[in-house]
Amino acid sequence: MDRVVDLDEVAVVLAERAVGWTAAGLEVRRATWRDAEASWPQPLETDRDRVRDPDSVGVVISGPAETVLSVVLFRGGWADVDFVAGLDDAGCLPASDITSVSDFRTRMDQWVTRVFGSLDGVQ
């Protein structure tokens, strides 16, 4: 898999954003990592030091009324983005051709707004 996005830099973005999301009342779970070198089925690790060759990093964010956003970014430049924003509002969001950490940051902010609404300037 090509290395389009630096997952360690993405983890920094997630950690920075998590401060504001938490302050806005959201629950942000620890980032999970998957190691490309691990045997199948590849376990998810919360300790980055246990992952030699990361091929994905993910986060789950929960909010009021059972709202949830799950994002797993792959180093190849795409993400699995699943959400529940309401009883009749759930599914997957498009997330391909992510070209940089900055691009991911922008999209992550959009996904959070899509699922949880405006967080009053929190980033």
Side-chain angles (χ1 to χ4, degrees), residues 100-118:
S100 66
V101 173
S102 176
D103 183 16
F104 173 77
R105 179 185 302 111
T106 299
R107 292 185 197 211
M108 189 71 195
D109 291 343
Q110 292 168 348
W111 298 327
V112 166
T113 299
R114 165 66 179 86
V115 175
F116 303 107
S118 175

Side-chain angles (χ1 to χ4, degrees), residues 7-81:
L7 298 179
D8 287 307
E9 290 181 21
V10 165
V12 170
V13 168
L14 292 173
E16 291 169 351
R17 293 294 199 258
V19 172
W21 297 332
T22 302
L26 302 178
E27 177 188 339
V28 182
R29 295 192 198 144
R30 291 182 64 184
T32 56
W33 298 85
R34 189 176 79 172
D35 193 332
E37 295 180 10
S39 299
W40 185 259
Q42 296 159 307
L44 297 179
E45 301 286 350
T46 56
D47 182 353
R48 170 62 178 91
D49 292 336
R50 294 179 54 99
V51 177
R52 293 186 51 189
D53 184 21
D55 71 349
S56 72
V57 63
V59 68
V60 175
I61 305 168
S62 303
E66 299 184 21
T67 52
V68 178
L69 174 64
S70 171
V71 176
V72 178
L73 177 67
F74 296 87
R75 67 184 180 199
W78 71 90
D80 292 339
V81 182

